[in-house]
Amino acid sequence: MHTPPWSGNLPFRFMARSCDSYREWQTYYFEELRQAESVFDFGNYALIENAWESRTLAVKVGHIHYLLKEGEFSFDSLHQITERAVLESFDLLVCKVYCSDVLANRSLIAAGFSCVDTSMIYTHDCVQVGRSLPSASFNVREAEPDDQGAAFSLAEQSFSAHFGRFHQDPNIELTRAHGIYGQWVRSSFAGYADKILVAEEAGTLLGLSIWRYGSKLEQRLLPGLAHYSLGFVSTQAMRNGIFSALTQAGVQLLQQKGYRIIEGPTHAGNIPVQRVYVKYGWKPADATATYHLWLKK
């Protein structure tokens, strides 16, 4: 009920060494997808409504998932899925693929999809000793329920100049795109997140970071994997080390709970975040592209 759209990540091929093969990880992942409600099965493809995005965007949104190796993506299958989506009254189709999968990217473009986001996936090895942070005037602590209102407002303000996939899509009003991140925060306080950290000074929230433990499937196949879901800082408080502090505090928290690898996606153009990642020992692991196709406008 509280699952934002970013929960539907591709199986992490950079973690394939943790199970017998990436193909095995894909198979388990895909079988779990087939258990979802409102799933339309196309063999090696599946179309699933993303209820969170549908509610937030006020249109019916479907995500296309697939069980394929690079070079196996089929334009004909994509056409079948699109035709079925029209019959099922979907408004928007979303598909995320690896940037290196040339056939998948070309097939989506040929089918009329538009690329709205390119993301880098970074990972942090919790075994490594991280750099210490300089002293600061602000405090980082775990969020409390009473923080939700201020966190919601801060998210909408912080992402007002963002350039993620919702902002890049010309069919989504910018005001609605801004609001999506506030809804993401609200869902996190409602149970989506496992840990939420806030940075504050003199009772004012300056930033927030959201963290998730590995899913049940990940705990079984990829033990030790956790997720950096979202981090942001007030536009009035940037360049003061707040994002670094929120990130390092989250890493330390998950490390204490026994997690070994943390993955964190960020937009390919978000250079400040990537600089922080690199500075504190995160390493680039992969890159993905997300495509949108509007069936109704």
Side-chain angles (χ1 to χ4, degrees), residues 7-22:
S7 63
N9 282 317
L10 291 165
F12 299 111
R13 59 184 181 182
F14 58 82
M15 291 288 289
R17 297 173 186 172
S18 301
C19 54
D20 291 340
S21 66
Y22 175 61

Side-chain angles (χ1 to χ4, degrees), residues 25 85 90 116 137 147 157 192 199 227 256 281:
W25 171 211
F90 280 93
V116 291
S137 59
D147 293 319
Q157 180 249 42
Y192 169 70
H227 309 278
Q256 292 168 4

Side-chain angles (χ1 to χ4, degrees), residues 123-129 251 255 260-262 281-283:
T123 61
H124 188 281
D125 185 348
C126 294
V127 176
Q128 296 181 351
V129 178
V251 168
Q255 184 180 32
R260 185 177 63 84
I261 295 290
I262 305 172
W282 294 67
K283 296 181 179 179

